[in-house]
Amino acid sequence: MGSEGSIDDIDSLVSVEIILADQYETKDICEVNVLVATLKDKKAISPAIRSLAKLFPISKDLIHLKRVKIDKEADKIEIIICKVDGVDIDQIKLKLSDVLEYSSVKITAVPSNAPLNRWQFEKSSRLWPTNFFENKEITHRLDGTCLDSTDRLFIYQTMKDLVNRTKENVDRTYGAIVTSNFQVLVISGDKINDHPLRHCSMNLIDLMASTQGGGVWYNQGKLDENSSLLSTESDPDAYLCTGHDVYLTKEPCIMCSMGLLHSRIRRIFFLDQSMNTLDMPLQKGCPDDFALSKMKLHTNSDINHRFDVWRVKLKKC
Amino acid sequence: MVMHPDPMPNERPMCNEKPSLVSGLVDVGIHLKLSEISFNLAEEALKSGEVPVGCVMVRIKSPSKLVLCDKDYEIISQGRNRVNASKNPTRHAEMECIDRILNWSKEQGITDLKEIWSSLIVYVTVEPCIMCARALRSLGISKVFYGCPNERFGGCSSVMNVHNDNSISDPIIDCFPGALNKSQAIDLLKKFYMGENPNAPEPKVKKKRLVE
């Protein structure tokens, strides 16, 4: 693997971006209508909260909202009564007048879901005071800080090495399987000229199988000019690609993404092809299914194995 | 190369005159035969400690694209799940079949396989998973007969619609779920997931967990 590039200037060489389920990535929020009452003054707040807690306990799907909104500029205090859906507003007003001193009741839109990122939190808060229990893990994945400069340097060097292989073998897609402590296990290009389904990832999976005493195309240590085994030690506890990452010079298609999922891969790093600043030859390999970037196959809630997917952009090569 | 002229359609004595067709394509008797071969392969997988899924790929030879008698088709590939033996989790029954066809075509000296893929009917005991569905569609295979749904990974409607998703550029696949005996396919999978213990109670919660 290449050794160029240093930790100090790593951000000028490579950038990485995670692909998460839409609800974590979106900056938009959804709204739901609720009934709110305007209170006469501050003194009315705590008795109102107490009596509403008995009469109209806040529904479970709205617990991300604070009950009261104090608008200092407009000198207005509002309190959530209940969701509007399927309630008789006149009946509610009648009940309210027994327990609450309010000046008016109206329907207001509030955020319907708990915010999952900062953007959503800010947007939600503008609509109604919202609680935000920030999931630090998600935040660090979204802003990329979960990968430190050592990780990034390795990502850069590995991708660069694979890109160079692609340039030497025009139109092949290249990939590598790597352990969590940066040991490269296998490298391979695709072989679609020989076999229409021997895309890069499918070859890598079979190469891994061959290191574990299996394999179909690479059984008994059979290699070809575009593939190599880098580790001679074999781990008796190794199970498929569990705990390993894959690096690819092209986004895998649906077949390959699912193959990697079947292999229990830990993370996928693929080279972003949208900005071709690297003079990369057009790679055949996988068809452009956008299985991860658009279909987001890895975020499908029906599928039980979870793995992270990162889009890698090389700025220099 | 010696040419064998196809007999005229009215010279096919073995065909039923009023055939009863499965999915409008295959004679019932032939269909049962092909199903049986598929299930035998699944049984063989089970005996070898693999997820019991069997697959048969049938090439339609009749100009009408219907399989009415033995001359109308040829089994060109048979396969079953071989994930554990190969330590390769992609070695599903369909992938095994595809590799056999590629080897067979090399032996036959056939270089253009397009016509072969598009003339196939795939018989498989369980709904193809997302990976296999994309593989079949990439090749241009257009007809898949299967038994039970694959609730965990199914690519032909259970989890994803890889067979007919119109964002995928390859021709769509016509799927015929239940064309093979659904309960027979499920029973085999249950046997596998119940493991070796014949006294194990039937899992109630996990009934839906079918995998290829």
Side-chain angles (χ1 to χ4, degrees):
Chain A
M1 288 276 152
S3 56
E4 281 171 61
S6 78
I7 281 201
D8 301 324
D9 55 4
I10 193 63
D11 289 335
S12 66
L13 300 172
V14 65
S15 69
V16 287
E17 192 180 286
I18 198 163
I19 299 172
L20 291 179
D22 289 339
Q23 72 259 35
Y24 292 104
E25 287 189 345
T26 182
K27 297 179 181 179
D28 296 325
I29 59 167
C30 297
E31 297 173 5
V32 63
N33 282 335
V34 295
L35 206 60
V36 300
T38 305
L39 299 179
K40 279 178 180 151
D41 52 45
K42 271 192 172 178
K43 281 181 209 151
I45 295 177
S46 25
I49 288 178
R50 252 178 278 128
S51 45
L52 284 181
K54 279 183 203 146
L55 205 56
F56 295 104
I58 199 101
S59 71
K60 272 184 188 147
D61 52 352
L62 292 183
I63 52 169
H64 56 283
L65 299 173
K66 296 191 196 296
R67 188 122 210 191
V68 179
K69 178 183 186 179
I70 302 172
D71 187 341
K72 278 183 185 153
E73 276 173 33
D75 193 23
K76 198 159 112 186
I77 302 166
E78 290 173 312
I79 188 161
I80 295 176
I81 309 297
C82 61
K83 287 212 273 191
V84 170
D85 233 18
V87 298
D88 182 340
I89 293 177
D90 291 330
Q91 279 274 317
I92 287 172
K93 278 185 182 170
L94 220 66
K95 276 190 188 172
L96 279 181
S97 53
D98 295 342
V99 295
L100 214 65
E101 272 191 68
Y102 67 92
S103 52
S104 66
V105 169
K106 63 166 184 173
I107 294 169
T108 293
V110 296
S112 60
N113 298 309
L116 295 170
N117 59 40
R118 291 227 145 246
W119 305 300
Q120 291 173 25
F121 172 56
E122 279 159 23
K123 223 172 200 175
S124 297
S125 300
R126 283 199 287 275
L127 212 56
W128 190 271
T130 306
N131 299 313
F132 181 35
F133 302 106
E134 187 175 17
N135 182 333
K136 283 273 177 352
E137 204 193 309
I138 296 279
T139 305
H140 291 152
R141 283 150 88 207
L142 272 174
D143 65 17
T145 48
C146 67
L147 298 174
D148 65 20
S149 44
T150 316
D151 296 326
R152 283 158 196 268
L153 185 64
F154 181 79
I155 293 166
Y156 170 72
Q157 287 168 347
T158 307
M159 267 316 174
K160 198 179 134 186
D161 177 86
L162 295 174
V163 165
N164 288 338
R165 284 169 195 260
T166 297
K167 286 180 177 171
E168 281 161 28
N169 298 276
V170 178
D171 81 15
R172 263 183 222 282
T173 298
Y174 270 86
I177 289 182
V178 177
T179 65
S180 58
N181 52 8
F182 301 145
Q183 190 193 3
V184 180
L185 297 176
V186 297
I187 295 179
S188 184
D190 66 68
K191 290 204 76 175
I192 57 164
N193 295 334
D194 295 0
H195 183 310
L197 302 179
R198 284 187 64 177
H199 299 174
C200 180
S201 303
M202 301 301 270
N203 278 344
L204 288 170
I205 292 167
D206 199 58
L207 270 169
M208 279 304 293
S210 75
T211 68
Q212 295 164 6
V216 175
W217 302 320
Y218 296 104
N219 58 349
Q220 294 153 354
K222 253 194 307 190
L223 290 175
D224 53 54
E225 73 279 13
N226 291 307
S227 59
S228 40
L229 299 176
L230 281 94
S231 173
T232 46
E233 294 163 53
S234 69
D235 176 0
D237 296 327
Y239 179 63
L240 310 177
C241 297
T242 308
H244 303 329
D245 300 334
V246 66
Y247 291 72
L248 298 164
T249 55
K250 189 177 188 187
E251 178 172 355
C253 66
I254 296 171
M255 175 184 72
C256 290
S257 302
M258 198 60 197
L260 290 165
L261 186 146
H262 284 316
S263 307
R264 318 276 177 102
I265 200 83
R266 184 175 74 129
R267 295 185 294 189
I268 296 178
F269 294 93
F270 71 84
L271 189 69
D272 182 61
Q273 299 274 312
S274 60
M275 293 192 322
N276 192 349
T277 53
L278 309 171
D279 284 329
M280 290 272 287
L282 203 64
Q283 301 170 63
K284 285 183 195 158
C286 290
D288 292 321
D289 288 346
F290 306 105
L292 304 172
S293 58
K294 287 188 187 155
M295 287 188 181
K296 302 197 174 184
L297 188 146
H298 61 298
T299 71
N300 189 315
S301 55
D302 290 332
I303 297 172
N304 58 357
H305 175 67
R306 291 267 160 264
F307 55 94
D308 276 352
V309 174
W310 295 86
R311 190 192 276 123
V312 178
K313 289 181 183 168
L314 294 186
K315 297 171 184 171
K316 272 181 221 158
C317 203
Chain B
M1 203 171 115
V2 186
M3 298 289 283
H4 297 281
D6 252 10
M8 293 298 286
N10 58 0
E11 287 175 3
R12 293 182 174 186
M14 291 169 73
C15 292
N16 282 329
E17 286 201 355
K18 281 185 183 169
S20 167
L21 298 180
V22 173
S23 306
L25 291 166
V26 185
D27 169 78
V28 171
I30 294 170
H31 175 77
L32 290 176
K33 201 156 71 186
L34 295 169
S35 294
E36 197 188 331
I37 300 171
S38 309
F39 280 113
N40 287 344
L41 290 160
E43 294 267 8
E44 187 193 303
L46 183 67
K47 280 183 197 132
S48 322
E50 302 278 3
V51 178
V53 182
C55 181
V56 174
M57 293 195 175
V58 182
R59 183 182 177 192
I60 308 176
K61 298 200 293 186
S62 64
S64 65
K65 308 281 176 210
L66 300 177
V67 179
L68 307 177
C69 57
D70 286 341
K71 277 182 186 160
D72 291 343
Y73 75 96
E74 180 189 5
I75 296 175
I76 57 170
S77 185
Q78 303 183 31
R80 48 101 170 158
N81 189 301
R82 229 158 60 79
V83 162
N84 291 330
S86 65
K87 306 201 177 197
N88 178 333
T90 70
R91 299 313 295 176
H92 292 178
E94 298 91 323
M95 302 302 251
E96 288 280 307
C97 277
I98 290 165
D99 273 17
R100 289 212 177 111
I101 292 179
L102 288 164
N103 290 336
W104 166 83
S105 66
K106 259 177 209 155
E107 283 165 20
Q108 303 278 314
I110 302 169
T111 47
D112 185 15
L113 279 118
K114 261 188 193 154
E115 206 183 314
I116 291 184
W117 300 126
S118 64
S119 74
L120 288 184
I121 298 182
V122 173
Y123 273 72
V124 60
T125 56
V126 181
E127 175 190 357
C129 78
I130 293 166
M131 174 188 75
C132 290
R134 184 65 183 101
L136 298 172
R137 210 173 149 180
S138 295
L139 295 172
I141 289 173
S142 62
K143 289 181 187 68
V144 176
F145 285 18
Y146 66 82
C148 68
N150 179 340
E151 310 271 0
R152 275 173 84 185
F153 299 122
C156 301
S157 75
S158 292
V159 178
M160 274 178 83
N161 293 312
V162 177
H163 64 304
N164 65 4
D165 185 320
N166 55 24
S167 70
I168 300 169
S169 55
D170 299 300
I172 64 161
I173 303 175
D174 281 329
C175 288
F176 299 89
L180 280 75
N181 190 320
K182 184 177 164 182
S183 53
Q184 194 178 350
I186 293 175
D187 286 347
L188 279 167
L189 291 174
K190 271 190 194 160
K191 271 188 197 161
F192 179 81
Y193 288 106
M194 306 255 296
E196 289 93 356
N197 183 2
N199 300 320
E202 195 167 318
K204 280 178 185 148
V205 197
K206 293 184 178 175
K207 250 186 185 167
K208 281 175 78 183
R209 290 188 57 186
L210 305 179
V211 208
E212 186 175 343

